[in-house]
Amino acid sequence: GLDMPSAMKSAFHHYAELFLAMDDPYLRARHEDIRHLGNRLYGTWSGSRNNGRQELPDGPLVLVGGEVSVSDIAAVPRERLAAIACVRGSALSHTAVLANALGIPSVMGLGEVRGLRDGESVLVDGDTGRVFPDPDPALLATYRENAANEEALQGRLQELRNEPALTRDGERVLLYANSGLLSDISPGLVSGAEGLGLYRTEIPFMLGDTFPSEEEQFEIYRQVCEAYRDKPVHMRILDIGGDKPLPYFPLVEENPALGWRGIRFCLDNASLLMTQVRAMLRAGAGTGNLRVLLPMVSSTGELQRFHALLDDALAQLAAEDIVVNRPEVGIMVEVPAAISQLAQWRGYIDFVSIGSNDLGQYLVAADRNNPRVSEVCDRLHPAVLREIERIIVTARELNLPASLCGEMSSDPAAVVLLLGMGLRCMSLSAARLPMIKWLVRAARADDAAALWASAKTLPDAAGIRHTTAEYLAGLNLAGLPFET
Ligand code: PEP
Ligand code: MG
């Protein structure tokens, strides 16, 4: 009496629960295999429904939808994807984050799109967040000119590729790239990134019909580690949940942002995590540049459990005569509870990376995906900035390398404030990296410190934005596409 997916789900759930109830830990862990089989069967079934999928029309494409998923983005060849426009979501949604990493203009949270039909031309302005269906020739001409200027500017910025990000008063800043698809690996290198500051492993997981096997993951991670051979690669363990669902592993929760996410999900699905950690360790063995990053850590127990699993993974590989090194392990500081525990965690972690996208939403209790509260979830909110400063200062006291890998690192206003707080490592979209490098080289760290000292006395984001914009204007960076 059930529809097909519900019947499959209930049958597989039944058998998975039987395994889960077993005493023997090995057999108990096999419940994951049952789930994998279920996912595979579901994937085959849903794939067969999609066989009639339309071919892509010719020419550059704009994806428009209520939501545009990561797999929608991946289904279009990068060179053909001109822009994205979504009715829902906000600038911190994962669709926007991925689009930014790929350098694709995108507009989120449109509310509605009037008068747009399939196959029609549309103009998408990612700087101002506007979408113009069927634009008239005059508007098109203006935008064509803007686009040509932007391209010329990017060409000039590219000349800095091999120059260091050094402020005018000699402070060295490390600029890493964020990535998650194999297709966005090379843009990071081309733009002069000094490492991968965040490799979001959930993106390959979001593209398939089932959990990728150890071999499939190994192959992807190996290519990532090799591409960045002499540079650090910070690979994050699976961070699904929240607004990053897996199509083949539906999670129904009242409040997903506060639910079974990141390391919580991974530790509760130990066989999945073991598969991933083994694939990562093997991938990093040849290059020695792997660092493992843990998302959503909120308690000491999570770190202890992760290290125990890492020990097991190392022991398993040693028993199989696979030589790997113990990688450095760090955490995303994105749950506010992490901040006051950093000192206690020093023995478990080698570095921290500030996840300002989530940290911001949890500090001000405003959903990062909800356009209605995007003004509340402002990256220049004084409380968010002060907490970030607290993390930077604490990390310095603990001799703990710190970086920031949220979208703040792509925003010039936030970048000068972070410089002023003393941060010297940021990880960002490859497409924005040349522009941020230009900004760092035009700024003075002591001026940025003075700017932050005065900005932190201001009562709201609007005041901080205004003061920072004045500072940026004084840097004479005319022509840069600043969105502050
Ligand atoms: C963050 O939260 O700032 C972050 C970098 O991770 P994600 O955007 O993938 O949650
Ligand atoms: Mg996060």
Side-chain angles (χ1 to χ4, degrees), residues 139-306:
L139 190 66
L140 265 182
T142 312
Y143 271 93
R144 286 223 163 91
E145 194 183 325
N146 291 351
N149 291 341
E150 165 87 26
E151 204 168 310
L153 174 71
Q154 290 300 337
R156 280 190 285 137
L157 291 177
Q158 204 49 42
E159 289 163 16
L160 296 178
R161 180 181 187 274
N162 297 319
E163 300 297 326
L166 194 66
T167 63
R168 284 193 2 249
D169 51 347
E171 287 290 322
R172 181 74 165 88
V173 178
L174 277 177
L175 294 180
Y176 293 154
N178 289 347
S179 158
L181 283 174
L182 283 177
S183 58
D184 67 4
I185 291 293
S186 52
L189 289 167
V190 171
S191 67
E194 295 175 87
L196 261 190
L198 169 63
Y199 182 75
R200 290 182 164 97
T201 60
E202 56 276 5
I203 294 181
F205 278 72
M206 290 163 86
L207 299 179
D209 287 335
T210 180
F211 287 104
S213 66
E214 180 176 326
E215 282 317 301
E216 286 165 334
Q217 292 184 56
F218 166 71
E219 196 40 47
I220 298 172
Y221 304 158
R222 188 189 59 75
Q223 289 184 52
V224 175
C225 288
E226 296 229 319
Y228 277 81
R229 188 157 259 285
D230 304 315
K231 304 182 173 80
V233 169
H234 299 78
M235 214 170 259
R236 185 168 75 182
I237 64 167
L238 187 62
D239 184 22
I240 56 148
D243 77 329
K244 286 182 279 194
L246 290 181
Y248 48 87
F249 197 91
L251 296 175
V252 181
E253 295 184 294
E254 281 284 313
N255 203 339
L258 303 182
W260 211 29
R261 290 196 54 183
I263 195 162
R264 305 168 187 175
F265 175 88
C266 289
L267 290 172
D268 289 348
N269 290 283
S271 62
L272 264 184
L273 179 59
M274 177 59 88
T275 304
Q276 182 172 45
V277 169
R278 283 177 52 104
M280 282 183 182
L281 293 174
R282 289 173 52 208
T287 44
N289 54 351
L290 171 75
R291 298 181 186 171
V292 178
L293 187 51
L294 309 178
M296 298 291 296
V297 176
S298 60
S299 72
T300 313
E302 289 165 343
L303 291 173
Q304 291 167 335
R305 285 169 69 196
F306 179 77

Side-chain angles (χ1 to χ4, degrees), residues 270-348:
S271 62
L272 264 184
L273 179 59
M274 177 59 88
T275 304
Q276 182 172 45
V277 169
R278 283 177 52 104
M280 282 183 182
L281 293 174
R282 289 173 52 208
T287 44
N289 54 351
L290 171 75
R291 298 181 186 171
V292 178
L293 187 51
L294 309 178
M296 298 291 296
V297 176
S298 60
S299 72
T300 313
E302 289 165 343
L303 291 173
Q304 291 167 335
R305 285 169 69 196
F306 179 77
H307 277 283
L309 185 134
L310 180 60
D311 289 341
D312 283 352
L314 290 165
Q316 281 182 12
L317 291 171
E320 293 164 31
D321 288 331
I322 302 176
V323 184
V324 300
N325 299 324
R326 190 182 188 91
E328 289 192 1
V329 175
I331 58 161
M332 303 277 300
V333 183
E334 55 186 347
V335 178
I339 305 173
S340 58
Q341 298 184 88
L342 287 176
Q344 276 175 297
W345 292 351
R346 186 63 184 93
Y348 299 109

